[in-house]
Amino acid sequence: MNVSIIGSGTMGSGIAQVAATSGCAVKLFDLNQGALDQSKKVLEITLSKLVEKEKIDATEKSRIQNNISYVNTLKDLSASDLVIEAIVENLEVKRKVFSELETLVSENTILASNTSSLSIASIAASCQKPERVIGIHFFNPAPLMQLVEVIPAVQTSEEVLQKSVQIITDWKKVVAVAKDTPGFIVNRVARPFYSESLRIYDEGVADYATIDWALKTIGGFRMGPFELMDMIGHDVNYIVTETVFTAFYFDSKFKPSFTQKRLLEAGFLGRKSGRGFYNYSQELPAPTEDAALAKTIFERVIVMLINEAADTLFLNIASAKDIDNAMTKGVNYPKGLLAWADELGINWCVEKLDELYNEYHEDRYRCSLILRRMAKENKNFF
């Protein structure tokens, strides 16, 4: 199979490695020759480390490398069966690329975008054959992360959807099919992990280190929200939050935090700049190890995450199985949120949300209707 990747940054290069490992003939395109050279160099380092760790042998390393060609002319992609675009998150730039690309490839070529939050329908509308356009969203680092969200637009044909799912499955990835709505599954459902934690901090309930400690200790998350935002970078994480907030017509449950906005404005982007919520040039602060406080923090964050996962199911964005797979395989949550709701008890979730709503009288704490109905009927998600 001939696969082309547009954009040789971290994500594009990672997707190219995945496709090449699966035996595809890959063309990695970038206008910047320096970026292509860097991608080739990074792949050499990555594969050499895998050989050292005995994950692959030298023959496999050569096979993967030989499966990738590095090109800087779009015409070189003309023989593609599948093209995946992985460039800047700018709708107009993507639309321009898709419009030009369509004139160069076969009418049967699948055109996919790796966008994490932009409308697939809007991208597809730039094409004469929008039915062949689809979202195929990998997570970083693409070779390691198991999940891929597949997002059909309203224009996407059923044949293209099924072919895309089969291709990604053949690449040994876990597929979650999502409706074309802002943030798809992961970037929508994960928002409360950040936003409710920020709200807890903004209210003065606890500091960054304590909130991170609470969610790792009680919840079993691999990283706390402030550690994770610093690792992702506020130039990425805040912008996604702002994009989702705007796209959902300023729904208050997606409201960004001024605390994070000020860090972005100051250039405190997180680990990449040496300072974010934490100052990485200094010893990191110790948490306040208060069990009761930790439980309060965990309960607020987990019930908001569960509520968003439930709403995602209620609005037919994805199936219960795909939602839980998305959160465990896409962002390494210790449990699927809907399974977690079953474990904690649907009635407990409803009561906790109502308690928050009655205290704050803010729409962000409204309980998803599906949770309320399930509590009345004594049902579980699984």
Side-chain angles (χ1 to χ4, degrees), residues 243-263:
T243 300
V244 171
F245 179 55
T246 303
F248 275 107
Y249 308 109
F250 307 102
D251 188 330
S252 61
K253 67 181 178 177
F254 298 114
K255 188 177 180 180
S257 166
F258 281 116
T259 296
Q260 189 178 24
K261 188 171 192 284
R262 294 295 179 258
L263 291 179

Side-chain angles (χ1 to χ4, degrees), residues 54-195:
E54 299 184 346
K55 297 287 181 69
I56 62 172
D57 58 22
T59 302
E60 175 70 354
K61 174 188 171 185
S62 296
R63 184 188 71 83
I64 294 169
Q65 289 176 311
N66 292 335
N67 279 345
I68 303 178
S69 303
Y70 298 83
V71 301
N72 55 18
T73 305
L74 273 179
K75 289 180 181 178
D76 291 327
L77 313 186
S78 60
S80 305
D81 299 305
L82 167 67
V83 181
I84 301 176
E85 163 274 312
I87 59 173
V88 63
E89 282 287 271
N90 180 295
L91 181 59
E92 290 312 310
V93 172
K94 290 182 189 292
R95 284 169 58 90
K96 183 178 178 182
V97 168
F98 273 70
S99 181
E100 181 179 356
L101 188 62
E102 189 179 36
T103 66
L104 304 173
V105 298
S106 156
E107 64 176 18
N108 296 318
T109 302
I110 296 173
L111 304 181
S113 175
N114 184 62
T115 180
S116 60
S117 58
L118 296 175
S119 163
I120 306 301
S122 291
I123 296 170
S126 67
C127 294
Q128 294 297 314
K129 280 177 62 73
E131 63 273 15
R132 52 131 133 225
V133 177
I134 195 165
I136 298 180
H137 178 221
F138 287 78
F139 290 79
N140 194 27
L144 298 180
M145 299 305 289
Q146 291 180 280
L147 182 79
V148 177
E149 292 177 323
V150 174
I151 310 99
V154 291
Q155 305 101 309
T156 307
S157 72
E158 182 63 25
E159 181 185 9
V160 166
L161 171 59
Q162 294 307 322
K163 279 185 178 179
S164 300
V165 168
Q166 189 59 56
I167 290 167
I168 302 304
T169 302
D170 290 344
W171 290 2
K172 297 181 170 57
K173 295 295 185 182
V174 174
V175 173
V177 177
K179 189 184 287 187
D180 184 16
T181 55
F184 312 135
I185 304 172
V186 171
N187 278 320
R188 173 186 182 145
V189 176
R191 287 350 293 161
F193 189 64
Y194 313 114
S195 63

Side-chain angles (χ1 to χ4, degrees), residues 24-76:
C24 298
V26 180
K27 284 189 166 61
L28 182 58
F29 165 86
D30 203 299
L31 287 171
N32 185 332
Q33 185 60 46
L36 289 173
D37 294 340
Q38 178 64 18
S39 175
K40 191 172 185 178
K41 180 180 176 182
V42 169
L43 180 64
E44 165 67 29
I45 294 169
T46 300
L47 295 179
S48 293
K49 287 180 180 177
L50 291 176
V51 172
E52 286 174 19
K53 294 176 181 177
E54 299 184 346
K55 297 287 181 69
I56 62 172
D57 58 22
T59 302
E60 175 70 354
K61 174 188 171 185
S62 296
R63 184 188 71 83
I64 294 169
Q65 289 176 311
N66 292 335
N67 279 345
I68 303 178
S69 303
Y70 298 83
V71 301
N72 55 18
T73 305
L74 273 179
K75 289 180 181 178
D76 291 327

Side-chain angles (χ1 to χ4, degrees), residues 259-275:
T259 296
Q260 189 178 24
K261 188 171 192 284
R262 294 295 179 258
L263 291 179
L264 175 63
E265 292 167 342
F268 297 164
L269 304 182
R271 285 190 173 274
K272 68 179 76 175
S273 68
R275 184 172 173 183

Side-chain angles (χ1 to χ4, degrees), residues 171-302:
W171 290 2
K172 297 181 170 57
K173 295 295 185 182
V174 174
V175 173
V177 177
K179 189 184 287 187
D180 184 16
T181 55
F184 312 135
I185 304 172
V186 171
N187 278 320
R188 173 186 182 145
V189 176
R191 287 350 293 161
F193 189 64
Y194 313 114
S195 63
E196 195 59 23
S197 299
L198 279 159
R199 181 66 180 264
I200 290 166
Y201 169 78
D202 287 338
E203 291 175 8
V205 174
D207 58 24
Y208 307 141
T210 300
I211 297 168
D212 280 347
W213 170 79
L215 288 165
K216 288 187 293 182
T217 303
I218 306 294
F221 291 94
R222 294 187 186 183
M223 295 182 75
F226 296 98
E227 291 175 307
L228 185 53
M229 284 185 278
D230 271 1
M231 188 187 80
I232 294 168
H234 303 295
D235 52 335
V236 176
N237 185 266
Y238 176 81
I239 297 303
V240 171
T241 299
E242 191 175 56
T243 300
V244 171
F245 179 55
T246 303
F248 275 107
Y249 308 109
F250 307 102
D251 188 330
S252 61
K253 67 181 178 177
F254 298 114
K255 188 177 180 180
S257 166
F258 281 116
T259 296
Q260 189 178 24
K261 188 171 192 284
R262 294 295 179 258
L263 291 179
L264 175 63
E265 292 167 342
F268 297 164
L269 304 182
R271 285 190 173 274
K272 68 179 76 175
S273 68
R275 184 172 173 183
F277 290 112
Y278 296 102
N279 187 335
Y280 294 94
S281 66
Q282 301 175 359
E283 185 178 347
L284 299 183
T288 301
E289 297 188 6
D290 180 322
L293 177 60
K295 184 180 177 184
T296 297
I297 292 167
F298 166 71
E299 288 183 349
R300 271 185 68 170
V301 174
I302 196 64

